[in-house]
Amino acid sequence: MCSENENARVRGQRPADRGFDDSYVVQMQRLARQATILTPNLTEALLLLNEPVDFTEFDSHRACVIIQRLAQRFALSQVVLTGVPLADNRIGVYGLSRGGRVWERTQDRIPHSYFGTGDLFASSLLAGLLHGLDLEQAAGVAGDFVAKAILATDLDQDQRFGPNYAAALPWLLQQLQN
């Protein structure tokens, strides 16, 4: 893990394309300094580090470098990087747990995109942590929850309404009770 391997090629977007101007990035950086656990998606992570938002030639090694740089820059012991595009139509979540342990979780990329998935991920990650899961386990549950919510969403639904998280809540509650 965290070694250079097959690269994923994904065209990046300019920060302004996603509504991130310079003052927004500065405010994100201020907020990140107060975090206990930082959970940016890839775009947010690159902006936090003042790096160009470019997803070309992206691989596990680069993801690991980014989480370690985020931890160092914002003096954090726990970071979870989401939405990392990988080769073979996979998507990854990379984490840094207390004690410096780096880990990765990958799954098939679902070809649908909805607003609010980062919020769902972060809230279900916190639910897992509050129920005694470690960071990696909680991230696995959170990633699976978001995937189930996306898969339960009507394909004709406006993506601005977000994924159908209500359909996946029973599964999430069952995971937290185990």
Side-chain angles (χ1 to χ4, degrees):
M1 170 178 21
C2 295
S3 60
E4 296 185 49
N5 59 14
E6 294 183 31
N7 297 329
R9 292 184 170 271
V10 178
R11 173 176 279 172
Q13 296 179 324
R14 297 178 317 207
D17 293 341
R18 298 289 298 210
F20 299 127
D21 63 13
D22 289 340
S23 65
Y24 185 86
V25 172
V26 168
Q27 292 303 318
M28 284 176 37
Q29 291 168 336
R30 282 187 185 152
L31 186 59
R33 286 184 188 92
Q34 298 176 37
T36 302
I37 302 171
L38 192 63
T39 62
N41 64 34
L42 182 55
T43 299
E44 293 162 342
L46 293 171
L47 292 172
L48 285 167
L49 294 170
N50 295 318
E51 289 189 14
V53 179
D54 180 8
F55 298 173
T56 57
E57 302 297 323
F58 212 90
D59 59 21
S60 294
H61 175 73
R62 186 165 175 213
C64 291
V65 168
I66 286 172
I67 60 172
Q68 291 166 340
R69 288 187 56 219
L70 286 166
Q72 181 178 16
R73 177 165 185 172
F74 298 105
L76 298 166
S77 63
Q78 298 182 98
V79 177
V80 179
L81 177 63
T82 66
V84 178
L86 300 170
D88 300 325
N89 208 29
R90 308 272 300 160
I91 194 159
V93 172
Y94 291 81
L96 175 69
S97 295
R98 285 189 179 113
R101 193 172 76 74
V102 176
W103 47 265
E104 69 179 328
R105 295 243 176 187
T106 64
Q107 62 188 55
D108 291 334
R109 185 182 180 289
I110 301 170
H112 308 290
S113 180
Y114 296 96
F115 289 92
T117 54
D119 297 325
L120 284 178
F121 182 90
S123 59
S124 53
L125 176 84
L126 178 59
L129 293 171
L130 292 174
H131 279 85
L133 300 179
D134 68 26
L135 188 63
E136 182 177 3
Q137 293 168 328
V141 168
D144 290 346
F145 172 64
V146 171
K148 289 178 184 307
I150 291 171
L151 292 172
T153 305
D154 185 338
L155 294 177
D156 295 327
Q157 175 183 299
D158 186 328
Q159 73 183 63
R160 294 175 295 174
F161 293 137
N164 184 1
Y165 68 89
L169 278 175
W171 177 88
L172 178 61
L173 293 173
Q174 182 180 34
Q175 299 307 302
L176 298 176
Q177 291 172 355
N178 292 338

